[in-house]
Amino acid sequence: MTLLADVVATSRRVADTPSRNAKIAELAALLRTLAPAEIGIGVAYLSGEPRQGRSGIGYGLLRDARPDVVVGAPSLTIAEVDAALERLSGTTGAGSRSERTRILSALLGRATTEERDFLGRLMLGELRQGALESLMIDAVAAASSLPASSVRQAAMVAGGIAAVAHAALTEGAGALRRFALELMQPIAPMLAQPANDVAEALGMLGSAAFEWKLDGARVQVHKAADQVRIFTRNRNDVTASAPEIVDALRSVEAPQLILDGEAIALQADGAPHPFQVTMRRFGRTLDVSAMQASLPLSVFFFDCLRHGADVLTEAPLSERFDILSRALPARLLMPRIVTGETAAAQAFYDDALQRGHEGVMAKSPSAPYEAGRRAASWLKIKRVHTLDLVVLAAEWGHGRRKGWLSNLHLAARDEAAGGFVMLGKTFKGMTDEMLAWQTEAMLAREIYRDEWIVRVRPELVVEIAFNDLQASPHYPGGLALRFARVKRYRTDKSGEDADTLETVRAIYRGRLARATAL
């Protein structure tokens, strides 16, 4: 039986080394020691999340469940942890909080200090240890002595690496044959890396395909004759929520298709609604007809993964798009150009922004479809805003950032009511030098702390870059930052110099006004 302490130690070593090959070796070494029943659990934990998901566990429950005594010697197995989390996820309804607290307290009571820290971050979704799925795929390949390309292809189809890891480690190469791209079985979408501008993108890719980047909902649509199903990027079936997309694909002659695209709610003049407005359409099974009439969806496809019996994921993008453009009417295709000229790419980008869209995607015409990977052959270029915001608190880092305050709680100044209003969090954009400086600066301003968070006096101002704002019921100001990252600390400013909530609201109103005016 594998001890949780062994997983924690591996997680720490993976986080502490910058070498990809060393990370793979550490992960593979542990994977080889797992019993068949432990493989799914170990892969999930080393990938940074429990098999059961978050299960409604927050800081408050962890604080209430924290025992006073910490054990010195490790004894918890990963199977015992998984069983406890399974009981936690199944405990719901009236009066469940006390039982959930009891279950969690019993689990944490058997954990060492390091194990308790690991479990807390695992359950909160904040275990940033560098073992992303692409790395885990390579580790499974190394542990099972199979080609990484075969494991990656199987994981793409299986919707994740856990099931593939079990098959590869217990049965070998033959077991991977059962993972094939099938209709009505969604796969993980290919993802993109950021680029600062079109010139940088062209420098990285050479001639590239540029497409509009819409602020909508990523959809994967499967068609088999008259049967059409729609899946989100998380592979949830939302077919019932978008009948107009179903109707659009039923009219297409191709009998079998798997398509990748973006669904978005557009106004009558073609301007996009904000992201959160589009998302009202998904997850609804009641009043769909009324929502369809008042908030119709448009869909734009940019990739074809299967056409008829042909699986196209290994084909270059140029070939996939040619097949896509022949299979679909032009109104269902994402607007695009292929160019190696900076001026033409910049004009296309500027036009996308003027139409109210997020920016553009730049893609290598020769790239295959790498499902589930954030590949350098796809780049996203988006408009960036900045705000000077106050730090209200920070969360302790983990892995390479252990011992440093990392995840910042960000707020704008509220001139009307006084005080500060939180807009979101970020741990992105920080150098080691910045982490060390901000930890010292925040501890000097500490008000109080718990096991994970240090609250500070609202004196530090940080310049935050972000791509957009969205309406949010989770924050008192009603707005939240999207894709926030740190640019620099404004040591020349105090909390009284920070941007105001009204400034933030003006940016949001301007975003809506631009969309309405187009």
Side-chain angles (χ1 to χ4, degrees), residues 238-257:
V238 292
T239 306
S241 299
E244 58 266 66
I245 297 178
V246 173
D247 292 341
L249 267 294
R250 279 181 177 157
S251 66
V252 171
E253 290 184 6
Q256 296 181 343
L257 291 169

Side-chain angles (χ1 to χ4, degrees), residues 146-380:
L146 296 176
S149 59
S150 299
V151 177
R152 184 173 296 109
Q153 184 75 12
M156 175 188 79
V157 173
I161 186 58
V164 174
H166 189 277
L169 291 165
T170 59
E171 301 175 61
L176 297 187
R177 292 202 247 341
R178 66 173 175 261
F179 298 102
L181 183 63
E182 298 288 350
L183 287 161
M184 310 306 163
Q185 295 182 15
I187 65 173
M190 184 171 174
L191 304 173
Q193 296 184 14
N196 290 319
D197 51 39
V198 296
E200 181 180 66
L202 286 171
M204 295 172 68
L205 301 177
S207 181
F210 287 87
E211 303 166 352
W212 286 356
K213 188 178 190 314
L214 307 184
D215 197 13
R218 185 83 173 264
V219 291
Q220 187 179 121
V221 179
H222 292 229
K223 170 182 165 64
D226 286 339
Q227 184 184 9
V228 177
R229 292 176 66 185
I230 306 165
F231 302 94
T232 67
R233 65 184 298 153
N234 295 322
R235 300 186 281 278
N236 296 321
D237 191 328
V238 292
T239 306
S241 299
E244 58 266 66
I245 297 178
V246 173
D247 292 341
L249 267 294
R250 279 181 177 157
S251 66
V252 171
E253 290 184 6
Q256 296 181 343
L257 291 169
I258 298 179
L259 307 174
D260 195 357
E262 197 88 6
I264 190 168
L266 299 176
Q267 300 176 49
D269 58 0
H273 284 288
F275 171 77
Q276 64 270 21
V277 175
T278 290
M279 294 310 294
R280 292 177 192 167
R281 286 295 311 271
F282 292 94
R284 285 180 172 267
T285 55
L286 300 176
D287 300 324
V288 172
S289 296
M291 286 294 293
Q292 183 181 357
S294 63
L295 194 65
L297 285 175
S298 297
V299 65
F300 298 91
F301 294 106
F302 49 76
D303 221 319
C304 183
L305 313 187
R306 175 170 169 164
H307 182 268
D310 297 328
V311 174
L312 305 174
T313 51
E314 295 301 312
L317 173 64
S318 56
E319 180 181 332
R320 300 198 308 272
F321 192 82
D322 284 346
I323 293 171
L324 179 71
S325 60
R326 291 196 299 270
L328 299 183
R331 63 184 173 81
L332 297 181
L333 298 176
M334 185 71 76
R336 77 196 301 259
I337 63 168
V338 179
T339 184
E341 299 296 326
T342 301
Q346 186 65 45
F348 186 79
Y349 170 77
D350 292 340
D351 179 65
L353 292 184
Q354 288 171 6
R355 293 173 183 270
H357 300 304
E358 274 195 313
V360 297
M361 299 289 298
K363 300 178 180 178
S364 168
S366 62
Y369 191 93
E370 301 178 80
R373 294 196 70 194
R374 195 171 296 280
S377 55
W378 281 20
L379 303 173
K380 53 187 176 182

Side-chain angles (χ1 to χ4, degrees), residues 37-239:
E38 297 175 328
I39 292 172
I41 304 169
V43 167
Y45 291 4
L46 289 170
S47 298
E49 60 180 33
R51 292 189 313 108
Q52 299 80 7
R54 289 281 299 276
S55 301
I57 297 171
Y59 289 107
L61 185 63
L62 279 167
R63 182 183 59 249
D64 294 345
R66 183 173 57 197
D68 294 329
V69 178
V70 180
V71 300
S75 63
L76 265 176
T77 68
I78 60 173
E80 289 171 326
V81 174
D82 184 68
L85 296 184
E86 193 67 27
R87 291 194 298 274
L88 267 172
S89 67
T91 304
T92 59
S96 62
R97 182 177 176 86
S98 60
E99 177 62 12
R100 286 163 62 81
T101 303
R102 186 194 67 77
I103 295 169
L104 187 55
S105 182
L107 174 64
L108 296 177
R110 294 188 56 199
T112 65
T113 299
E114 194 168 13
E115 289 171 338
R116 190 179 291 184
D117 177 71
F118 178 92
L119 287 171
R121 295 181 183 280
L122 180 73
M123 289 183 280
L124 291 170
E126 297 178 356
L127 190 59
R128 294 178 285 276
Q129 57 194 347
L132 301 176
E133 184 170 81
S134 62
L135 196 70
M136 187 60 69
I137 286 171
D138 289 340
V140 169
S144 57
S145 300
L146 296 176
S149 59
S150 299
V151 177
R152 184 173 296 109
Q153 184 75 12
M156 175 188 79
V157 173
I161 186 58
V164 174
H166 189 277
L169 291 165
T170 59
E171 301 175 61
L176 297 187
R177 292 202 247 341
R178 66 173 175 261
F179 298 102
L181 183 63
E182 298 288 350
L183 287 161
M184 310 306 163
Q185 295 182 15
I187 65 173
M190 184 171 174
L191 304 173
Q193 296 184 14
N196 290 319
D197 51 39
V198 296
E200 181 180 66
L202 286 171
M204 295 172 68
L205 301 177
S207 181
F210 287 87
E211 303 166 352
W212 286 356
K213 188 178 190 314
L214 307 184
D215 197 13
R218 185 83 173 264
V219 291
Q220 187 179 121
V221 179
H222 292 229
K223 170 182 165 64
D226 286 339
Q227 184 184 9
V228 177
R229 292 176 66 185
I230 306 165
F231 302 94
T232 67
R233 65 184 298 153
N234 295 322
R235 300 186 281 278
N236 296 321
D237 191 328
V238 292
T239 306

Side-chain angles (χ1 to χ4, degrees), residues 71 76 83 93 103 197 315 326 340 407 412 420 431 466 472 481 505 510 513:
V71 300
L76 265 176
I103 295 169
D197 51 39
R326 291 196 299 270
N407 201 17
F420 298 90
T431 64
F466 63 101
S472 172
L481 302 168
R505 288 171 173 161

Side-chain angles (χ1 to χ4, degrees), residues 346-421:
Q346 186 65 45
F348 186 79
Y349 170 77
D350 292 340
D351 179 65
L353 292 184
Q354 288 171 6
R355 293 173 183 270
H357 300 304
E358 274 195 313
V360 297
M361 299 289 298
K363 300 178 180 178
S364 168
S366 62
Y369 191 93
E370 301 178 80
R373 294 196 70 194
R374 195 171 296 280
S377 55
W378 281 20
L379 303 173
K380 53 187 176 182
I381 308 158
K382 301 193 289 187
R383 185 197 339 244
V384 175
H385 307 278
T386 63
L387 285 168
D388 290 338
L389 300 176
V390 167
V391 179
L392 297 181
E395 300 166 18
W396 288 107
H398 184 74
R400 188 182 65 80
R401 295 188 175 191
K402 188 170 184 179
W404 286 333
L405 288 169
S406 175
N407 201 17
L408 305 181
H409 295 205
L410 304 166
R413 185 163 50 89
D414 189 343
E415 284 187 309
F420 298 90
V421 177

